């Protein structure tokens, strides 16, 4: 790998980590794999998350085009969140992280 390839690699990995680097990003992405969900539904499914944290992470994931926010003109207004195509591709990354974690997970006696 030459220096230019290394820089491209580091930039790409950094971009991927920016998306899932926060505490809740992985959990929100994982929940949305089950299908679109409204804010309160997501909040219930992520029982420990605060309203502010969920709002912040959804905005973050929207910014990176991982999550789509769709507003329905009902009374009151309904908002639904779903994964974009880009967001759905994170499944591969997350599954590889799982495989790595399962292979190398440390147990307390090791």
């Amino acid at each position: 790998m030459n220096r230019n390839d290394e820089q491209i690699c580091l930039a790409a990995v950094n971009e991927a980590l920016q998306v899932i680097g926060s505490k809740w990003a992985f959990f929100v992405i994982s929940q949305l794999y089950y299908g679109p969900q409204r804010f309160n539904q997501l909040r219930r499914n992520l029982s420990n998350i605060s309203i502010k944290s969920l709002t912040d992470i959804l905005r973050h994931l929207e910014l990176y085009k991982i999550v789509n926010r769709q507003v329905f003109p009902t009374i009151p207004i309904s908002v639904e969140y779903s994964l974009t195509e880009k967001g759905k591709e994170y499944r591969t990354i997350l599954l590889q992280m799982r495989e790595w974690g399962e292979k190398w997970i440390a147990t307390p006696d090791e």
Side-chain angles (χ1 to χ4, degrees), residues 51-83:
I51 291 172
K52 181 183 181 333
S53 293
L54 183 54
T55 301
D56 290 347
I57 195 58
L58 286 168
R59 286 182 182 154
H60 171 81
L61 293 172
E62 278 183 83
L63 179 68
Y64 280 92
K65 300 191 181 341
I66 302 300
V67 168
N68 181 51
R69 180 179 186 264
Q70 184 173 7
V71 179
F72 296 97
T74 57
I75 298 175
I77 292 175
S78 298
V79 179
E80 190 174 78
Y81 297 91
S82 61
L83 291 177

Side-chain angles (χ1 to χ4, degrees), residues 7-67:
Q7 288 176 340
I8 292 169
C9 176
L10 290 174
V13 170
N14 184 53
E15 179 73 10
L17 291 175
Q18 290 299 312
V19 172
I20 59 168
S22 73
K23 177 180 177 179
W24 291 103
F26 164 76
F27 296 106
V28 169
I29 293 169
S30 296
Q31 279 300 311
L32 291 176
Y33 276 121
Y34 296 111
Q37 295 183 36
R38 292 185 179 169
F39 185 89
N40 284 329
Q41 185 180 10
L42 262 173
R43 189 162 175 252
R44 278 191 301 275
N45 291 336
L46 300 169
S47 57
N48 296 347
I49 195 167
S50 70
I51 291 172
K52 181 183 181 333
S53 293
L54 183 54
T55 301
D56 290 347
I57 195 58
L58 286 168
R59 286 182 182 154
H60 171 81
L61 293 172
E62 278 183 83
L63 179 68
Y64 280 92
K65 300 191 181 341
I66 302 300
V67 168

